[in-house]
Amino acid sequence: MTVITANTPDSSALAPSSPGREWWRSAVIYQVYPRSFADADGDGMGDLPGITHRLPALRDLGVDAVWLSPFQTSPQRDAGYDVADYRDVDRLFGTLADFDTMLTTAHELGLRVIIDIVPNHSSSDHRWFQEALAAGPGSPERARYLFRDGKGEHGELPPNNWESIFGGAAWTRVDEADGNPGQWYLHLFDKSQPDFDWTNPWVREQFRDILRFWLDRGVDGFRVDVAHGMIKEAGLPDYTPPEHAGSMGGGAGSVALEPGIEGHAGDEPPTPPYFAQDGVHEIYRDWHRVLEEYEGDRVLCGEAWVEPLEKLAHWVRPDEMQQTFNFGYLETPWEAAALRTVIDRSISVFGSVGAPSTWVLSNHDVVRHATRLALTGENLQGHGIGPKTTGLPDPVFALHRARAATALMLALPGSAYLYQGEELGLPEAIDLPDDARQDPTWFRTNGERYGRDGCRVPIPWEGTDPSYGFGPSAKSWLPQPASWATYTRSSQEGVPGSTLTMYQEALAARRAHDLAFGELDWFDLGPDTLAFRSGGVTVVANFGERLVELPAGDIVLASGELEGRSLPRDTTAWLV
Ligand code: BGC
């Protein structure tokens, strides 16, 4: 094994891990969405210098690592998840030198850095795709992507019936060099995001190089986009998803925990021919070996919308990825029994392959949990919400519940992901004007699905007027709601009971009591409650109307106000 010393002079500030205590087994990882975190140059778009400037706030929050959504060169048709150069920084966000400064600063502050890698597809602007278009049918360049002849007498019909995750057909026909309509290419997402053909060794070699490019710069790992895609079933057979499947391929709103056992609704969904194919695992074994060429504990975290959990656990077998997002947990409603089931199953299923469970409630693709957990209408994953959505919650009630959910999540063993702004209690921005929306989902469905813009609005730092300290100007690429003055970081700093303070207290207590390595010992406090002991801490969450008498102990965390020693509805408390 070649050991390469990383280009991180200050990585020594980060404690070395020992086997079984690798940093990613316990880390709380904060997702930075670069467009919306901090804008240093005032153009209304967040950037790398902005992130560098604000990193101390994340150290003060108490997280262990940051994950950056894509900042690489891109025409931004899917907010950077359409990469046109995997080895450079988009000018919108800065330069490679800005990236290096950000990384060094993070390491000096004791924060590890994970970056996004987008291997299922590139941008159609990528040189590789442009060369494929120019080279024509049957060429090695076309073999990088999934080009096929169409069906019908003149190839006028798409090669199969697959639909794009963002709505509409998953195939687009190209014009050949002679000006006539020719082959079709597959794009599981927008038509500007052609899927690679991962059976092609050339593609595999390119991505090994891309991983090494960033590992050489010193990144601590990768969040792997669409880690359940990449390999498609041979022959690309037709497929019709079940009626209530969420966009990402899972049965959103129905967590099948193991074959035959339902989380709260629905049967195990069928496996689409474009997701969760066995062949993807060979790729991750290969990537695991690439990471092993480097010193330190580098990590791969898969974004794999796969059910049931038993199947998802294949992504984190010892020679594959280190972590995978637990979307089954994210999709579980705020219900005691359903949560207990998904928590137990996650710990046991991930544990059976030697991996930590991960926990997540929000990210840039889902309705923020400070709104989502209190929605009363149906809301399929990826469809988003907007002014015409029915069943919208009261924001105060919803935040109260979200804080209880966070306090429960941060007590669980394993690693947790936070999404920027949740520590401020930010709700989903619901009233975005139609003409401000940018998610391709909105355009591809002619406004039928709102998409994900509502969770991507630039976050408020300080002040009473837009951009609330996001940048030096009033500009922000999505408009910030007027009500966001009350959510700024500066207005919550040091304020007892603020959401920011609760997150800081929870993260500090989680660390002090080593909860990431705790073992849950459940006990019964009656219906509509969850209660367990872990790492010397007693955790109680109340889901029902009835006040719950807290057991003996000093209260170290409460997600909301208590009534004496009684825990009200939608509140979580920790005691020692
Ligand atoms: C990312 C999305 C993106 C899609 C296509 C997802 O899983 O998280 O934001 O639109 O992949 O790259």
Side-chain angles (χ1 to χ4, degrees):
M1 183 174 84
T2 332
V3 174
I4 297 169
T5 306
N7 175 25
T8 50
D10 302 301
S11 55
S12 58
L14 297 165
S17 317
S18 51
R21 298 285 295 198
E22 293 90 352
W23 68 272
W24 43 266
R25 291 187 180 276
S26 57
V28 175
I29 302 172
Y30 181 99
Q31 181 186 359
V32 168
Y33 194 63
R35 306 178 131 241
S36 302
F37 186 67
D39 171 21
D41 61 12
D43 64 355
M45 180 65 68
D47 46 40
L48 290 168
I51 297 171
T52 305
H53 173 64
R54 294 294 193 177
L55 282 174
L58 301 185
R59 188 258 333 263
D60 295 347
L61 177 62
V63 298
D64 303 289
V66 293
W67 145 40
L68 264 61
S69 283
F71 50 80
Q72 292 87 349
T73 310
S74 162
Q76 305 290 327
R77 296 201 185 93
D78 184 23
Y81 282 93
D82 48 326
V83 179
D85 184 350
Y86 289 92
R87 297 182 180 84
D88 204 354
V89 169
D90 196 288
R91 290 296 165 262
L92 269 181
F93 302 122
T95 61
L96 274 174
D98 292 330
F99 176 82
D100 292 340
T101 304
M102 185 279 305
L103 186 59
T104 306
T105 308
H107 284 163
E108 281 169 358
L109 291 167
L111 296 168
R112 289 183 159 91
V113 177
I114 293 174
I115 65 167
D116 233 298
I117 184 157
V118 187
N120 180 68
H121 46 265
S122 70
S123 161
S124 52
D125 283 9
H126 199 294
R127 180 172 51 86
W128 298 335
F129 188 74
Q130 290 301 317
E131 288 170 355
L133 287 179
S139 62
E141 288 84 356
R142 285 241 165 144
R144 300 165 180 169
Y145 294 89
L146 287 159
F147 280 91
R148 293 287 182 277
D149 293 332
K151 286 185 177 161
E153 205 181 329
H154 307 288
E156 71 280 11
L157 299 173
N160 68 25
N161 72 345
W162 295 359
E163 283 186 15
S164 154
I165 309 302
F166 293 158
W171 294 91
T172 291
R173 195 171 191 188
V174 302
D175 286 337
E176 302 296 357
D178 60 8
N180 289 320
Q183 288 195 300
W184 299 71
Y185 66 90
L186 178 72
H187 51 88
L188 288 183
F189 294 89
D190 188 53
K191 72 173 187 186
S192 63
Q193 295 166 296
D195 281 50
F196 285 111
D197 184 349
W198 271 88
T199 63
N200 183 341
W202 183 90
V203 171
R204 295 188 185 222
E205 192 49 42
Q206 299 308 311
F207 273 90
R208 273 183 219 113
D209 282 357
I210 292 163
L211 292 175
R212 291 191 183 108
F213 176 86
W214 293 104
L215 289 164
D216 286 343
R217 299 195 100 81
V219 301
D220 298 286
F222 301 91
R223 175 264 191 191
V224 183
D225 191 58
V226 197
H228 53 324
M230 295 153 85
I231 296 290
K232 280 76 182 174
E233 191 176 325
L236 311 181
D238 278 351
Y239 174 74
T240 305
E243 212 175 309
H244 287 289
S247 305
M248 297 306 287
S254 63
V255 180
L257 297 167
E258 61 179 325
I261 295 186
E262 294 169 13
H264 55 272
D267 296 322
E268 183 188 341
T271 301
Y274 40 82
F275 282 152
Q277 301 296 305
D278 287 344
V280 293
H281 298 292
E282 201 189 305
I283 300 170
Y284 299 134
R285 291 194 186 101
D286 186 33
W287 286 20
H288 185 103
R289 289 190 291 271
V290 172
L291 265 64
E292 274 186 341
E293 295 168 7
Y294 291 78
E295 67 169 8
D297 298 312
R298 313 295 173 116
V299 57
L300 295 170
C301 177
E303 187 228 12
W305 294 80
V306 172
E307 297 173 3
L309 281 166
E310 274 74 7
K311 189 161 184 182
L312 179 60
H314 293 172
W315 270 250
V316 284
R317 287 177 289 198
D319 58 349
E320 297 196 33
M321 299 190 166
Q322 283 70 20
Q323 293 187 335
T324 185
F325 290 102
N326 187 345
F327 293 124
Y329 181 73
L330 181 149
E331 293 186 317
T332 302
W334 179 245
E335 286 169 19
L339 280 166
R340 178 165 172 173
T341 307
V342 74
I343 291 168
D344 277 342
R345 294 302 309 159
S346 302
I347 293 170
S348 101
V349 165
F350 288 118
S352 71
V353 289
S357 187
T358 64
W359 313 102
V360 61
L361 288 168
S362 282
N363 66 33
H364 67 294
D365 288 329
V366 303
V367 175
R368 282 185 176 277
H369 74 280
T371 301
R372 190 187 71 242
L373 293 176
L375 288 173
T376 55
E378 186 186 44
N379 182 247
L380 290 178
Q381 162 50 25
H383 290 207
I385 60 174
K388 293 189 187 139
T389 302
T390 53
L392 293 172
D394 166 58
V396 175
F397 169 80
L399 175 58
H400 191 70
R401 180 173 281 183
R403 289 171 51 132
T406 298
L408 177 64
M409 176 180 87
L410 289 176
L412 298 174
S415 171
Y417 277 81
L418 305 179
Y419 176 49
Q420 66 177 36
E422 66 168 87
E423 76 281 19
L424 307 175
L426 283 190
E428 186 83 354
I430 295 167
D431 290 317
L432 289 175
D434 288 359
D435 61 4
R437 292 191 182 272
Q438 303 207 12
D439 187 344
T441 309
W442 168 256
F443 298 106
R444 292 181 62 87
T445 62
N446 294 319
E448 193 187 306
R449 299 184 198 164
Y450 286 106
R452 303 157 296 174
D453 291 317
C455 64
R456 298 175 172 182
V457 174
I459 62 172
W461 290 85
E462 64 223 357
T464 50
D465 297 309
S467 63
Y468 309 111
F470 165 63
S473 76
K475 291 189 206 158
S476 64
W477 69 278
L478 284 171
Q480 298 160 301
S483 57
W484 279 20
T486 56
Y487 292 100
T488 60
R489 185 169 304 254
S490 65
S491 70
Q492 300 191 41
E493 251 156 15
V495 176
S498 72
T499 303
L500 180 64
T501 300
M502 188 202 84
Y503 270 74
Q504 283 169 325
E505 289 171 353
L507 291 169
R510 175 187 160 87
R511 193 185 296 260
H513 295 282
D514 209 17
L515 290 181
F517 291 101
E519 281 184 29
L520 298 198
D521 180 12
W522 297 99
F523 63 97
D524 188 19
L525 281 183
D528 288 334
T529 57
L530 285 183
F532 59 82
R533 295 190 187 84
S534 170
V537 177
T538 300
V539 177
V540 183
N542 183 4
F543 298 73
E545 298 289 351
R546 182 184 61 99
L547 283 175
V548 173
E549 196 59 22
L550 287 171
D554 294 335
I555 294 159
V556 290
L557 186 81
S559 69
E561 285 202 18
L562 304 182
E563 293 186 22
R565 287 200 57 95
S566 296
L567 188 69
R569 178 182 182 186
D570 291 342
T571 312
T572 300
W574 298 8
L575 304 98
V576 290

